[in-house]
């Protein structure tokens, strides 16, 4: 790794980096900073935890003019939490030079943001929806933008923000630098880059590095109804300093959080139904180690950059390999080791194999810990606590009482009694967790994955049966994806039946189309 001073970074920025404790550049920083300093567009395939914020933040701060009263840099991020974290880091990088970054996101009072924008921040970091709100109100002027950054572009794609991103970039001057960072590179992201970037340099992390090398990845095959007891046994054995437990839905997160609290664990929940004030409170408590366990959905936890997370536990297996990469990326950061454990039911093993194939890494199987294992783990923690007190000589005020007790009892009995007092014995209070149906892989759902014909539809293939196809054509019912369908529902196609996406429908539900019926997208959901 190179020192930042060897990458052409100015003295002002070097001083700020030293105050932040940064000395050596990470691989993504070492590759990206020189290209950006030369004025080139860059596509970086990098997950969170690799130092990508500083990779684009250092050149951005270097290039902006403190004398110009205008927004000169814009960063588009998928979530409120990521927007706040990126802005905080940019402010630290720019503290010596005097560059200021402002986060703007939904859930915060817009009048407060308008007042802040009138103070001419040099950089705005925002979520797509709130950025467009300010553009419509003409409270955000993008005419002076010199550098635009799309952070975690694949996550914004998954959340349906691609059209918003295109709208935002179309308002930015053509003479600008554009940076795009993404953990994965689906075709839609590649098309976005072709449309809005000029001769972009591509920097890729090798596939073997897609999940962090310092993270020990394993899975435990479990019965659905046994998941929570096994989770508790694991927490008792390993006593994580900070752990994130991922659940598939908001209801699941709430149930696991409430059950953990019932059994005496220090936990908080994070999902999309929480108010912004509550989300901020939860994140503040977790960051400051006031709680040990954060139970979260994928959407709520995207982009979280919290140092010191020792364990990631997938209570529910992620729905796709990209989500797995993002979840696992919460630990094993900044040169520290971490552990990622995934609970898998027997009917989800095919889905696990798809994840392994995608990340090009074998995930090791572990046996489920028992209640007796948990007790041994808690006893070990008690011994470590006792030895730490001895090492720090924090026992001195109690020596006289100890001598008196030794006159009547033997030392082994007294030490054993002390260990019993400080050992947190496993709690088996009954709890209620709603069982979820297993997550089935695309192969096991009856569809042909990437090729072939199937009555249940195909992926990137053609289907003449019911259920439609993906990026293919379907003459049957169920519609198609980016194709045409004469049956029910279609995606970006036309349908005379039920529901459509960006098409017209005389039946139930549609997305950005017309519907005389019920339901649709952007309605209520138990996701995120």
């Amino acid at each position: 790794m190179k020192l930042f001073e060897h990458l052409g970074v100015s003295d002002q920025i070097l001083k700020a980096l030293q105050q932040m404790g940064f000395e050596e550049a990470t691989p993504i920083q070492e590759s990206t900073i020189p290209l950006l300093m030369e004025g080139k567009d860059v596509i970086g395939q990098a997950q969170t935890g690799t130092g990508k914020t500083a990779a684009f933040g250092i050149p951005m701060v270097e290039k902006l003019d403190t004398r110009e009263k205008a927004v000169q840099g814009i960063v588009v991020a998928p979530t409120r939490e990521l927007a706040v974290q990126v802005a905080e880091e940019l402010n630290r990088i720019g503290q010596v030079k005097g560059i200021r970054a402002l986060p703007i996101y939904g859930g915060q009072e817009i009048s407060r943001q308008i007042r802040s924008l009138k103070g001419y921040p040099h950089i705005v970091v925002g979520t797509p929806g709130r950025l467009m709100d300010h553009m419509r109100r003409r409270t955000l002027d993008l005419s002076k933008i010199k550098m635009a950054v799309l952070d975690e572009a694949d996550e914004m794609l998954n959340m349906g923000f691609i059209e918003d991103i295109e709208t935002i970039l179309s308002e930015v001057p053509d003479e600008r630098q554009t940076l795009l960072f993404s953990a994965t590179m689906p075709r839609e992201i590649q098309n976005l880059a072709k449309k809005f970037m000029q001769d972009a340099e591509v920097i890729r992390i090798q596939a073997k590095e897609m999940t962090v090398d310092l993270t020990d990845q394993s899975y435990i095959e479990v019965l659905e109804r046994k998941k929570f007891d096994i989770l508790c046994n694991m927490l008792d054995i390993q006593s994580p300093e900070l752990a994130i437990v991922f659940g598939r839905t908001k209801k699941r997160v709430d149930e696991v959080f409430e059950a953990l609290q019932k059994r005496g664990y220090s936990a908080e929940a994070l999902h999309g139904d929480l108010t912004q004030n509550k989300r901020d409170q939860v994140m503040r408590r977790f960051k400051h180690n006031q709680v040990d366990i954060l139970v979260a959905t994928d959407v709520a936890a995207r982009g979280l950059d919290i140092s010191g997370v020792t364990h990631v536990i997938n209570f529910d297996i992620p729905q796709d390999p990209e989500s797995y990469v993002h979840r696992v990326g919460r630990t094993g950061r900044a040169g520290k080791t971490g552990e990622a454990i995934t609970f898998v039911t027997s009917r989800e093993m095919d889905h696990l194999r798809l994840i392994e194939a995608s990340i090009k890494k074998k995930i090791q199987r572990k046996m489920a810990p028992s209640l007796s294992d948990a007790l041994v783990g808690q006893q070990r923690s008690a011994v470590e606590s006792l030895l730490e007190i001895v090492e720090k000589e924090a026992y001195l005020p109690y020596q006289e009482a100890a001598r008196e007790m030794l006159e009547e009892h033997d030392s082994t009995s007294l030490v054993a009694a002390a260990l019993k007092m400080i050992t947190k014995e496993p709690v088996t209070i009954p709890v209620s967790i709603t069982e979820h149906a297993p997550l089935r892989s695309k192969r096991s759902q009856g569809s042909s994955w990437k090729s072939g014909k199937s009555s249940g539809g195909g992926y990137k293939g053609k289907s003449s049966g019911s259920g439609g196809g993906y990026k293919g054509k379907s003459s049957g019912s169920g519609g198609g994806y980016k194709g045409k369908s004469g049956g029910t529902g279609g995606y970006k196609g036309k349908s005379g039946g039920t529901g459509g996406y960006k098409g017209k429908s005389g039946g139930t539900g549609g997305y950005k189309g017309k519907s005389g019926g019920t339901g649709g997208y952007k309605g209520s959901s138990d996701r995120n």
Side-chain angles (χ1 to χ4, degrees), residues 190-244:
Q190 295 175 34
N191 292 340
L192 186 73
K194 287 178 184 176
K195 184 175 180 179
F196 290 102
M197 303 179 79
Q198 301 292 325
D199 302 319
E201 297 277 349
V202 180
I203 298 169
R204 282 194 177 91
I205 294 177
Q206 296 300 313
K208 64 184 178 64
E209 298 172 352
M210 281 299 292
T211 52
V212 185
D213 290 336
L214 291 173
T215 300
D216 177 28
Q217 298 172 58
S218 60
Y219 75 91
I220 297 174
E221 190 172 347
V222 299
L223 294 172
E224 172 70 22
R225 67 178 181 274
K226 295 287 187 181
K227 278 185 176 181
F228 186 73
D229 286 334
I230 291 171
L231 171 66
C232 293
N233 292 344
M234 278 180 44
L235 295 172
D236 289 339
I237 290 167
Q238 304 204 15
S239 299
E241 293 177 27
L242 285 178
I244 301 179

Coordinates of all heavy atoms in Angstrom, one line a residue, residues 190-244:
Q190 N -24.3 -1.0 -16.0 CA -23.4 -0.8 -17.1 C -24.0 0.2 -18.1 O -23.3 1.0 -18.7 CB -23.0 -2.1 -17.7 CG -22.3 -3.1 -16.8 CD -22.1 -4.5 -17.4 OE1 -21.9 -4.6 -18.6 NE2 -22.1 -5.5 -16.6
N191 N -25.3 0.0 -18.4 CA -25.9 0.9 -19.4 C -26.0 2.4 -18.8 O -25.8 3.3 -19.6 CB -27.4 0.4 -19.6 CG -27.4 -0.9 -20.4 OD1 -26.4 -1.3 -21.0 ND2 -28.5 -1.6 -20.3
L192 N -26.2 2.5 -17.5 CA -26.2 3.8 -16.9 C -24.8 4.5 -17.1 O -24.7 5.7 -17.4 CB -26.5 3.7 -15.5 CG -26.7 5.0 -14.7 CD1 -28.0 5.7 -15.1 CD2 -26.7 4.8 -13.2
A193 N -23.8 3.7 -16.9 CA -22.4 4.3 -17.0 C -22.1 4.7 -18.5 O -21.5 5.7 -18.7 CB -21.4 3.2 -16.6
K194 N -22.6 3.9 -19.4 CA -22.4 4.2 -20.9 C -23.1 5.5 -21.2 O -22.6 6.3 -22.0 CB -22.9 3.1 -21.7 CG -22.0 1.8 -21.7 CD -22.6 0.7 -22.6 CE -21.8 -0.6 -22.5 NZ -22.5 -1.7 -23.2
K195 N -24.2 5.7 -20.6 CA -25.0 6.9 -21.0 C -24.5 8.2 -20.4 O -24.5 9.2 -21.1 CB -26.5 6.7 -20.5 CG -27.4 7.8 -20.9 CD -28.9 7.4 -20.5 CE -29.8 8.5 -20.9 NZ -31.2 8.2 -20.5
F196 N -23.9 8.1 -19.2 CA -23.6 9.4 -18.5 C -22.1 9.5 -18.2 O -21.7 10.5 -17.6 CB -24.3 9.4 -17.2 CG -25.8 9.7 -17.3 CD1 -26.7 8.6 -17.2 CD2 -26.3 10.9 -17.6 CE1 -28.1 8.8 -17.3 CE2 -27.7 11.1 -17.8 CZ -28.6 10.1 -17.6
M197 N -21.2 8.6 -18.6 CA -19.8 8.7 -18.3 C -19.0 8.7 -19.6 O -19.4 8.2 -20.7 CB -19.4 7.5 -17.4 CG -20.1 7.5 -16.1 SD -19.7 6.1 -15.1 CE -18.1 6.8 -14.3
Q198 N -17.9 9.4 -19.6 CA -17.0 9.6 -20.8 C -15.7 8.8 -20.6 O -14.9 9.1 -19.7 CB -16.7 11.1 -21.0 CG -17.9 12.0 -21.1 CD -18.6 11.7 -22.5 OE1 -17.9 11.4 -23.5 NE2 -19.9 11.9 -22.4
D199 N -15.5 7.8 -21.5 CA -14.3 7.0 -21.5 C -13.9 6.6 -20.0 O -12.7 6.8 -19.6 CB -13.2 7.7 -22.2 CG -13.5 8.1 -23.6 OD1 -14.1 7.2 -24.3 OD2 -13.2 9.2 -24.0
A200 N -14.8 6.0 -19.3 CA -14.5 5.7 -17.9 C -13.5 4.6 -17.7 O -13.5 3.7 -18.5 CB -15.8 5.3 -17.2
E201 N -12.6 4.9 -16.8 CA -11.7 3.8 -16.4 C -12.3 2.9 -15.4 O -13.0 3.4 -14.5 CB -10.4 4.5 -15.7 CG -9.6 5.4 -16.6 CD -8.6 4.6 -17.4 OE1 -8.4 3.4 -17.2 OE2 -8.0 5.2 -18.3
V202 N -12.2 1.6 -15.5 CA -12.8 0.6 -14.7 C -11.8 0.0 -13.7 O -10.8 -0.5 -14.1 CB -13.5 -0.5 -15.5 CG1 -14.2 -1.5 -14.6 CG2 -14.5 0.1 -16.5
I203 N -12.1 0.1 -12.4 CA -11.3 -0.5 -11.4 C -12.1 -1.6 -10.7 O -13.2 -1.3 -10.2 CB -10.9 0.5 -10.3 CG1 -10.0 1.6 -11.0 CG2 -10.1 -0.1 -9.2 CD1 -9.8 2.8 -10.1
R204 N -11.6 -2.8 -10.8 CA -12.4 -4.0 -10.3 C -11.6 -4.6 -9.1 O -10.4 -4.8 -9.2 CB -12.7 -5.0 -11.3 CG -13.8 -4.6 -12.3 CD -14.2 -5.9 -13.1 NE -15.3 -5.5 -14.0 CZ -15.2 -5.1 -15.2 NH1 -14.0 -4.9 -15.7 NH2 -16.2 -4.8 -16.0
I205 N -12.4 -5.0 -8.1 CA -11.9 -5.9 -7.1 C -12.1 -7.3 -7.6 O -13.2 -7.6 -8.2 CB -12.6 -5.7 -5.8 CG1 -12.4 -4.3 -5.2 CG2 -12.2 -6.8 -4.8 CD1 -13.1 -4.1 -3.9
Q206 N -11.1 -8.1 -7.6 CA -11.2 -9.5 -8.1 C -12.3 -10.2 -7.4 O -12.6 -10.0 -6.2 CB -9.9 -10.3 -7.8 CG -8.7 -9.7 -8.6 CD -8.9 -9.7 -10.1 OE1 -9.4 -10.7 -10.7 NE2 -8.7 -8.6 -10.8
A207 N -12.9 -11.2 -8.1 CA -14.1 -11.9 -7.5 C -13.8 -12.5 -6.2 O -14.6 -12.6 -5.3 CB -14.6 -12.9 -8.5
K208 N -12.6 -13.0 -6.0 CA -12.2 -13.7 -4.8 C -12.2 -12.7 -3.6 O -12.2 -13.2 -2.5 CB -10.9 -14.4 -4.9 CG -9.7 -13.5 -5.1 CD -8.4 -14.3 -5.3 CE -7.2 -13.4 -5.6 NZ -6.8 -12.5 -4.5
E209 N -12.2 -11.4 -3.9 CA -12.1 -10.4 -2.9 C -13.5 -9.8 -2.6 O -13.6 -8.9 -1.9 CB -11.1 -9.3 -3.2 CG -9.7 -9.8 -3.4 CD -8.8 -8.7 -3.9 OE1 -9.3 -7.7 -4.3 OE2 -7.6 -8.9 -3.9
M210 N -14.5 -10.4 -3.3 CA -15.9 -9.7 -3.2 C -16.4 -9.8 -1.8 O -17.2 -9.0 -1.4 CB -16.8 -10.4 -4.2 CG -16.7 -9.9 -5.6 SD -17.0 -8.1 -5.8 CE -18.7 -8.1 -5.4
T211 N -16.1 -10.9 -1.1 CA -16.4 -10.9 0.4 C -15.1 -10.8 1.1 O -14.1 -11.4 0.7 CB -17.1 -12.2 0.7 OG1 -16.4 -13.3 0.3 CG2 -18.5 -12.2 0.2
V212 N -15.1 -10.1 2.2 CA -13.9 -9.7 2.9 C -13.1 -10.9 3.4 O -13.6 -11.9 4.0 CB -14.2 -8.8 4.1 CG1 -13.0 -8.3 4.7 CG2 -15.1 -7.7 3.6
D213 N -11.8 -11.0 3.1 CA -10.9 -12.1 3.4 C -10.8 -12.2 4.9 O -10.6 -13.3 5.5 CB -9.5 -11.9 2.8 CG -9.5 -12.1 1.3 OD1 -10.4 -12.8 0.8 OD2 -8.6 -11.6 0.6
L214 N -10.9 -11.1 5.7 CA -10.7 -11.2 7.1 C -12.0 -11.6 7.8 O -12.1 -11.7 9.1 CB -10.3 -9.8 7.6 CG -8.9 -9.3 7.2 CD1 -8.7 -7.9 7.7 CD2 -7.9 -10.3 7.9
T215 N -13.0 -11.9 7.1 CA -14.3 -12.4 7.7 C -14.4 -13.9 7.5 O -14.3 -14.5 6.4 CB -15.5 -11.7 7.0 OG1 -15.4 -10.3 7.1 CG2 -16.8 -12.2 7.6
D216 N -14.6 -14.6 8.7 CA -14.8 -16.0 8.7 C -16.3 -16.3 8.4 O -17.1 -15.9 9.1 CB -14.4 -16.6 10.1 CG -14.7 -18.1 10.2 OD1 -14.6 -18.7 9.1 OD2 -15.0 -18.5 11.3
Q217 N -16.5 -16.9 7.2 CA -17.9 -17.2 6.8 C -18.3 -18.6 7.0 O -17.6 -19.5 6.6 CB -18.0 -16.8 5.3 CG -17.7 -15.3 5.0 CD -17.7 -15.0 3.5 OE1 -18.6 -15.2 2.8 NE2 -16.5 -14.5 3.1
S218 N -19.5 -18.8 7.6 CA -19.9 -20.2 7.8 C -21.4 -20.2 7.8 O -22.1 -19.2 7.8 CB -19.4 -20.7 9.2 OG -19.9 -19.8 10.2
Y219 N -22.0 -21.4 7.7 CA -23.4 -21.6 7.8 C -23.8 -22.7 8.8 O -23.0 -23.6 9.0 CB -24.0 -21.8 6.4 CG -23.8 -23.2 5.9 CD1 -24.8 -24.3 6.1 CD2 -22.7 -23.6 5.1 CE1 -24.6 -25.5 5.7 CE2 -22.5 -24.9 4.6 CZ -23.5 -25.8 4.9 OH -23.3 -27.1 4.4
I220 N -25.0 -22.6 9.3 CA -25.5 -23.7 10.2 C -26.8 -24.1 9.6 O -27.7 -23.3 9.4 CB -25.7 -23.1 11.6 CG1 -24.4 -22.7 12.2 CG2 -26.4 -24.2 12.5 CD1 -24.5 -22.0 13.6
E221 N -27.0 -25.4 9.4 CA -28.2 -26.0 8.9 C -29.2 -26.1 10.1 O -28.8 -26.8 11.0 CB -28.0 -27.3 8.2 CG -29.2 -27.8 7.4 CD -29.0 -29.0 6.5 OE1 -27.8 -29.3 6.3 OE2 -30.0 -29.6 6.1
V222 N -30.3 -25.5 10.0 CA -31.2 -25.5 11.2 C -32.7 -25.7 10.7 O -33.0 -25.6 9.6 CB -31.2 -24.1 11.8 CG1 -29.8 -23.7 12.3 CG2 -31.7 -23.0 10.9
L223 N -33.5 -26.1 11.7 CA -34.9 -26.2 11.5 C -35.4 -24.8 11.8 O -34.9 -24.1 12.7 CB -35.6 -27.1 12.5 CG -35.2 -28.6 12.3 CD1 -35.8 -29.4 13.5 CD2 -35.8 -29.1 11.0
E224 N -36.4 -24.3 11.0 CA -36.9 -23.0 11.1 C -37.3 -22.7 12.6 O -37.0 -21.6 13.1 CB -38.1 -22.8 10.2 CG -38.9 -21.5 10.3 CD -38.1 -20.3 9.9 OE1 -37.2 -20.4 9.1 OE2 -38.5 -19.2 10.3
R225 N -38.0 -23.6 13.2 CA -38.5 -23.4 14.6 C -37.4 -23.3 15.6 O -37.6 -22.9 16.8 CB -39.5 -24.4 15.0 CG -39.0 -25.8 15.1 CD -40.1 -26.8 15.5 NE -39.6 -28.1 15.7 CZ -39.5 -29.0 14.8 NH1 -39.8 -28.7 13.5 NH2 -39.0 -30.2 15.0
K226 N -36.2 -23.8 15.3 CA -35.0 -23.8 16.2 C -34.1 -22.6 16.1 O -33.2 -22.4 16.8 CB -34.2 -25.1 16.0 CG -34.9 -26.4 16.3 CD -35.1 -26.6 17.8 CE -35.7 -27.9 18.1 NZ -35.9 -28.1 19.6
K227 N -34.4 -21.7 15.1 CA -33.4 -20.7 14.8 C -33.2 -19.8 16.0 O -32.0 -19.4 16.3 CB -34.0 -19.8 13.6 CG -33.8 -20.3 12.2 CD -34.2 -19.3 11.2 CE -33.9 -19.7 9.8 NZ -34.4 -18.7 8.8
F228 N -34.2 -19.4 16.7 CA -34.0 -18.4 17.7 C -33.2 -18.9 18.9 O -32.3 -18.3 19.4 CB -35.3 -17.8 18.2 CG -35.1 -16.7 19.2 CD1 -34.7 -15.4 18.8 CD2 -35.3 -16.9 20.6 CE1 -34.5 -14.4 19.7 CE2 -35.1 -15.9 21.5 CZ -34.7 -14.6 21.0
D229 N -33.5 -20.2 19.3 CA -32.7 -20.8 20.4 C -31.3 -20.9 20.0 O -30.4 -20.7 20.8 CB -33.3 -22.2 20.7 CG -34.6 -22.0 21.5 OD1 -34.8 -21.0 22.2 OD2 -35.4 -23.0 21.4
I230 N -31.0 -21.3 18.7 CA -29.6 -21.4 18.3 C -28.9 -20.0 18.2 O -27.8 -19.9 18.6 CB -29.6 -22.1 16.9 CG1 -30.0 -23.5 17.0 CG2 -28.2 -22.0 16.3 CD1 -30.2 -24.3 15.7
L231 N -29.7 -19.0 17.8 CA -29.1 -17.6 17.9 C -28.7 -17.3 19.3 O -27.6 -16.8 19.5 CB -30.2 -16.6 17.4 CG -29.9 -15.2 17.6 CD1 -28.6 -14.8 16.7 CD2 -31.1 -14.3 17.2
C232 N -29.6 -17.5 20.3 CA -29.2 -17.2 21.7 C -28.0 -18.0 22.1 O -27.1 -17.5 22.8 CB -30.4 -17.5 22.6 SG -31.8 -16.4 22.3
N233 N -28.0 -19.3 21.8 CA -26.8 -20.1 22.2 C -25.5 -19.5 21.6 O -24.5 -19.5 22.3 CB -27.0 -21.6 21.7 CG -28.1 -22.3 22.5 OD1 -28.5 -21.8 23.5 ND2 -28.5 -23.4 21.9
M234 N -25.6 -19.1 20.3 CA -24.4 -18.5 19.7 C -24.0 -17.2 20.4 O -22.8 -17.0 20.6 CB -24.7 -18.2 18.2 CG -24.6 -19.4 17.3 SD -24.9 -18.9 15.6 CE -24.0 -17.4 15.5
L235 N -24.9 -16.4 20.7 CA -24.6 -15.1 21.4 C -24.0 -15.4 22.8 O -23.1 -14.7 23.2 CB -25.9 -14.3 21.5 CG -26.5 -13.8 20.2 CD1 -27.8 -13.1 20.5 CD2 -25.6 -12.8 19.5
D236 N -24.5 -16.4 23.5 CA -23.9 -16.8 24.8 C -22.5 -17.3 24.6 O -21.7 -17.0 25.5 CB -24.8 -17.8 25.5 CG -26.1 -17.2 25.9 OD1 -26.2 -16.0 26.1 OD2 -27.1 -18.0 26.1
I237 N -22.2 -18.1 23.6 CA -20.9 -18.7 23.4 C -19.9 -17.6 23.0 O -18.8 -17.6 23.5 CB -21.0 -19.8 22.4 CG1 -21.8 -21.0 22.9 CG2 -19.6 -20.3 22.0 CD1 -22.1 -22.0 21.9
Q238 N -20.3 -16.8 22.0 CA -19.3 -15.9 21.4 C -19.2 -14.5 22.1 O -18.3 -13.8 21.9 CB -19.6 -15.8 19.9 CG -19.6 -17.2 19.3 CD -19.3 -17.1 17.8 OE1 -18.8 -16.1 17.3 NE2 -19.5 -18.2 17.1
S239 N -20.3 -14.1 22.8 CA -20.3 -12.8 23.4 C -19.8 -11.7 22.5 O -18.8 -11.0 22.8 CB -19.5 -12.8 24.7 OG -20.1 -13.8 25.6
P240 N -20.4 -11.5 21.3 CA -19.9 -10.5 20.4 C -20.0 -9.1 21.0 O -20.9 -8.7 21.7 CB -20.9 -10.6 19.2 CG -22.1 -11.2 19.8 CD -21.7 -12.1 20.9
E241 N -18.9 -8.3 20.6 CA -18.9 -6.9 21.1 C -20.0 -6.1 20.4 O -20.8 -5.4 21.1 CB -17.6 -6.3 20.8 CG -16.4 -6.9 21.6 CD -15.1 -6.3 21.1 OE1 -15.1 -5.1 20.7 OE2 -14.1 -7.0 21.3
L242 N -20.1 -6.2 19.1 CA -21.2 -5.6 18.3 C -21.6 -6.6 17.3 O -20.8 -7.1 16.5 CB -20.8 -4.3 17.7 CG -20.6 -3.1 18.5 CD1 -20.1 -1.9 17.6 CD2 -21.9 -2.7 19.2
A243 N -22.9 -6.9 17.2 CA -23.4 -7.9 16.2 C -24.6 -7.3 15.5 O -25.5 -6.6 16.1 CB -23.8 -9.2 16.9
I244 N -24.7 -7.6 14.2 CA -25.9 -7.3 13.4 C -26.6 -8.6 13.0 O -26.0 -9.4 12.4 CB -25.6 -6.4 12.1 CG1 -24.8 -5.1 12.5 CG2 -26.8 -6.1 11.3 CD1 -24.4 -4.3 11.3

